[in-house]
Amino acid sequence: MPALLACLACVAVLTAFFVDGDDEQTSGCAEMADAVGLYPGNDVTMRGVKIGEVTSVSPSKGHVLVRFDLETKVDFPVDVSAVTTSDSIVTDRRLEIPSGRIGDGPAWDMARCIPLSRTHTPKSVSEAYAAFDKLSREVTAAAARSDTDRRIVGDAMTRLNTALRGTSGDFNDAIKGLAAALGEPALRDAQLRSLLTNVGELTGFFVQRWPDLRLGLTKLGEFAVTFDEWFSVLNPAVVETTALTPSLLRMIRTYSPDAFAVLDALLPLMTQLPTEKIVGILAAIPPLDAGLRRIMVQASAVRGLPVTPPRVRVSATASGAVCAQVNAAMPGACRPVAGAPGKVDLALLQMVLATGGTR
């Protein structure tokens, strides 16, 4: 009898041990926004490796409660998350747990459900299912209205099929990439963090350099106003130039052959010019100009530049009588030369000009 009781006690202890061991690793749950494509029996994976399966999917207070069993005991981190994902748009989804607990960090209490704030559903895929369903219903309804509408819908579907023929591979690859990007929360969060970091750095750059940027924007506005005023003045000139251009082109076409012929003839002569003498003359111009400027300054200082007309010395037998006759006609035009009897100085230029003026 004592031996029988001892055996029963051992069986009870072993049974309790195995039951407790199973309870430690059996189940968990997650709150999801939706569970499109997720059914009981679907896999629960961690980094693509199956660790369990979904046991039930049921609605609960505006969201979906997904329960699952684990095949082996796995400790989830305290910030565990979950996402529904799939390898293809046409296959069932699986429940993916991104990672387990690392090191000796705190573990997630499996008695609690993973909250809705840390679960993710690829919205684009779910909305694509709904959009395809809505489109099919609307197309079916349109085709059922009349024979004409049926032919229009049929023709449209034929044209669409022709246009999409051969593109299924590219479309499938694009959907796979989109599903992978939206279904991997770690990658998405890293991209969002990088984007926010870059935006923060850019904002800091603008804040630190705002005085310079403000000055640049102010000057840009002033330049825009100045450019507008300048262009308003330039615009009529541009219009007139545009009107003149055809006439200028016609003139060039008419006279350019003759002009080029003259230039062709002058070019050999230009090579024979005494360039050294020309350079010397040009070099003498600045000193000559400076001298003329000094003369003009002196003349302006005395309020006039005295100019003496030239005189011509001629021989005269009776210089006194000759000058008397000439001075009677033009006073001061003749004067005897002192110390030279028989010589007189005549203002010949004035006499010629006066004679021409009287005629």
Side-chain angles (χ1 to χ4, degrees):
M1 188 66 177
L4 178 60
L5 291 176
C7 290
L8 291 175
C10 290
V11 171
V13 171
L14 292 174
T15 303
F17 174 79
F18 284 110
V19 170
D20 290 341
D22 291 342
D23 289 342
E24 290 179 358
Q25 54 84 34
T26 46
S27 64
C29 58
E31 299 173 351
M32 312 293 296
D34 66 68
V36 177
L38 195 64
Y39 306 101
N42 287 15
D43 292 343
V44 178
T45 60
M46 179 178 291
R47 296 182 180 179
V49 179
K50 181 179 178 180
I51 60 173
E53 67 177 27
V54 176
T55 57
S56 68
V57 178
S58 59
S60 175
K61 299 178 181 180
H63 56 271
V64 178
L65 185 63
V66 179
R67 296 188 181 276
F68 54 87
D69 286 343
L70 302 179
E71 296 178 350
T72 57
K73 184 173 178 3
V74 179
D75 290 334
F76 294 162
V78 70
D79 58 346
V80 63
S81 61
V83 60
T84 56
T85 185
S86 62
D87 296 328
S88 173
I89 192 173
V90 297
T91 60
D92 291 340
R93 297 184 185 179
R94 65 177 186 273
L95 185 66
E96 172 76 13
I97 308 298
S99 65
R101 185 177 62 163
I102 300 175
D104 297 330
W108 175 254
D109 184 5
M110 295 299 292
R112 299 169 53 196
C113 290
I114 301 174
L116 187 63
S117 60
R118 294 212 297 267
T119 60
H120 310 276
T121 301
K123 292 296 184 183
S124 60
V125 179
S126 302
E127 293 171 357
Y129 289 144
F132 289 151
D133 179 66
K134 181 180 178 181
L135 177 62
S136 63
R137 285 189 281 106
E138 291 181 353
V139 170
T140 302
R145 283 197 295 263
S146 65
D147 293 339
T148 302
D149 292 340
R150 186 180 299 107
R151 286 193 298 270
I152 293 175
V153 171
D155 182 64
M157 292 296 103
T158 301
R159 292 177 182 272
L160 180 62
N161 179 61
T162 302
L164 296 178
R165 184 176 296 133
T167 62
S168 58
D170 296 336
F171 182 75
N172 189 37
D173 292 340
I175 293 299
K176 283 183 178 180
L178 180 62
L182 294 176
E184 179 58 49
L187 176 60
R188 183 187 60 191
D189 293 344
Q191 291 173 342
L192 289 176
R193 283 195 300 270
S194 176
L195 178 61
L196 293 176
T197 300
N198 293 335
V199 171
E201 292 178 356
L202 183 62
T203 304
F205 171 83
F206 280 111
V207 171
Q208 294 174 3
R209 293 165 175 78
W210 174 242
D212 297 335
L213 292 172
R214 180 173 57 186
L215 178 62
L217 293 175
T218 303
K219 294 300 182 182
L220 181 61
E222 295 175 357
F223 170 75
V225 173
T226 304
F227 181 78
D228 179 69
E229 295 175 353
W230 175 73
F231 192 77
S232 63
V233 175
L234 180 63
N235 187 44
V238 173
V239 174
E240 293 178 0
T241 304
T242 305
L244 179 63
T245 301
S247 301
L248 183 62
L249 290 176
R250 286 195 298 270
M251 184 181 301
I252 292 174
R253 293 193 188 99
T254 302
Y255 297 105
S256 60
D258 298 335
F260 285 133
V262 172
L263 292 176
D264 291 338
L266 289 177
L267 186 59
L269 299 177
M270 295 294 290
T271 58
Q272 301 176 5
L273 289 176
T275 55
E276 295 181 356
K277 293 183 179 180
I278 294 175
V279 171
I281 294 173
L282 293 177
I285 289 177
L288 179 62
D289 178 70
L292 291 175
R293 288 179 181 275
R294 287 195 298 271
I295 293 172
M296 296 301 295
V297 169
Q298 294 173 0
S300 63
V302 298
R303 297 185 179 180
L305 182 66
V307 178
T308 301
R311 291 178 175 271
V312 179
R313 182 165 295 181
V314 297
S315 300
T317 304
S319 57
V322 171
C323 284
Q325 293 292 329
V326 173
N327 289 332
M330 180 179 292
C334 179
R335 65 187 179 188
V337 178
K343 298 288 184 179
V344 296
D345 289 335
L346 295 176
L348 185 60
L349 178 62
Q350 290 86 333
M351 294 173 62
V352 172
L353 293 176
T355 303
T358 56
R359 288 181 182 178

